[in-house]
Amino acid sequence: MSKLTPSQSETTFAERLKFVQSAMECAANRAGRSASDITLIGVSKTVGRDAADAAYGAGLRHFGENRVQDAAAKFAAARPDGSRLHMIGQLQSNKAKLAVQVFDVIESVDRPSVIAALRSAVAGRERPFPILLQVNIAREPQKSGCAPEDVEKLVATLIAISELDLQGLMTIAPLTDDPEDVRPVFAGLRDLRDALRNTNPGLELPTLSMGMSNDFAVAIEEGATHVRVGRALFHG
Ligand SMILES: *Cc1c(COP(=O)(O)O)cnc(C)c1O
């Protein structure tokens, strides 16, 4: 890696994308993993459609948004081929219907009322709708995500619902100056996934969505399959 981080105010999106991708690659190498197994989700919540389309032009395919109505408006015009939209913010039950129309995957499923709302929102679809269960590993009181002790029961509920396809787990780590401080949070999500595999034979839960601009490298070292990066990509 280069000694200096390029001054963010002087970089283009393409340069920032390259920088993030090479940091992802370095982290994957350190962990003996292949960078191609890790998906970069560009969190476009703070930018408009133009910037999202420019990002697509530079090669980004996965986009993350945290508000259903904002995303519906931003992506009202057809999205470009092969793009995928991830819902990563807290979901209100009364937005479930719109959410499953706008998004390809909902990563922030965390309570029975939301599960029930999603189930009825996708009733009659041909294919099960992809979701992740969000877990508040660090038990931050103000953060969404279910408590770790509630995971087993929510997973049992979810796997009984054929309309929903539980693909894995998501977490948001606490904000810290040193990303090493949150390594145990990422390891905790991975351990939880491994425990669920043991107690639910046949359940793969391949997806671990964890890591943001300041800590995605540590998250990759701990097994992230999806990282959600906003500022490092979109704010030059
Ligand atoms: C905003 C957001 C991100 C991106 O955070 P950055 O620090 O800008 O990379 C990732 N995940 C969630 C859930 C977010 O709300």
Side-chain angles (χ1 to χ4, degrees):
M1 268 183 24
S2 59
K3 273 185 302 191
L4 291 172
T5 303
S7 161
Q8 296 252 308
S9 60
E10 287 163 18
T11 56
T12 64
F13 180 86
E15 287 169 332
R16 293 191 297 274
L17 178 61
K18 256 210 146 78
F19 186 78
V20 168
Q21 284 171 331
S22 60
M24 288 173 64
E25 229 171 275
C26 289
N29 288 341
R30 284 196 296 278
R33 304 179 59 202
S34 165
S36 62
D37 293 339
I38 302 152
T39 299
L40 173 61
I41 301 169
V43 178
S44 50
K45 66 190 181 191
T46 58
V47 299
R49 180 60 187 268
D50 287 357
D53 285 348
Y56 177 90
L60 190 70
R61 289 296 175 267
H62 292 255
F63 297 83
E65 291 281 337
N66 65 340
R67 290 167 181 271
V68 177
Q69 268 152 329
D70 287 354
K74 192 180 297 183
F75 294 99
R79 277 188 280 125
D81 282 353
S83 61
R84 280 179 67 79
L85 195 55
H86 299 243
M87 170 59 177
I88 61 172
Q90 187 164 30
L91 184 60
Q92 250 61 67
S93 297
N94 62 0
K95 306 268 170 60
K97 236 188 161 96
L98 182 58
V100 299
Q101 288 162 21
V102 173
F103 291 95
D104 298 299
V105 49
I106 294 177
E107 300 199 357
S108 46
V109 176
D110 66 351
R111 57 192 190 277
S113 58
V114 164
I115 294 171
L118 284 173
R119 179 187 203 165
S120 62
V122 298
R125 287 193 178 215
E126 219 165 275
R127 288 183 188 198
F129 190 90
I131 59 160
L132 303 181
L133 181 64
Q134 182 181 350
V135 189
N136 187 357
I137 296 284
R139 301 175 186 278
E140 290 183 282
Q142 73 283 14
K143 287 254 175 83
S144 49
C146 69
E149 61 270 22
D150 295 337
V151 165
E152 191 78 53
K153 195 156 177 244
L154 289 169
V155 166
T157 302
L158 285 167
I159 56 185
I161 300 176
S162 59
E163 297 93 332
L164 300 175
D165 176 16
L166 177 63
Q167 298 186 336
L169 305 177
M170 182 271 229
T171 199
I172 303 173
L175 212 57
T176 53
D177 291 330
D178 183 355
E180 283 299 332
D181 294 345
V182 290
R183 186 181 291 277
V185 172
F186 300 136
L189 193 72
R190 187 196 59 227
D191 289 346
L192 195 53
R193 191 274 309 274
D194 293 347
L196 287 165
R197 277 181 177 168
N198 284 333
T199 49
N200 300 273
L203 188 65
E204 285 295 321
L205 302 177
T207 301
L208 290 177
S209 175
M210 54 190 196
M212 320 200 320
S213 290
N214 55 325
D215 55 20
F216 68 83
V218 173
I220 288 169
E221 289 170 8
E222 296 301 330
T225 62
H226 290 64
V227 294
R228 309 178 306 267
V229 178
R231 287 166 299 144
L233 284 175
F234 286 104
H235 295 281

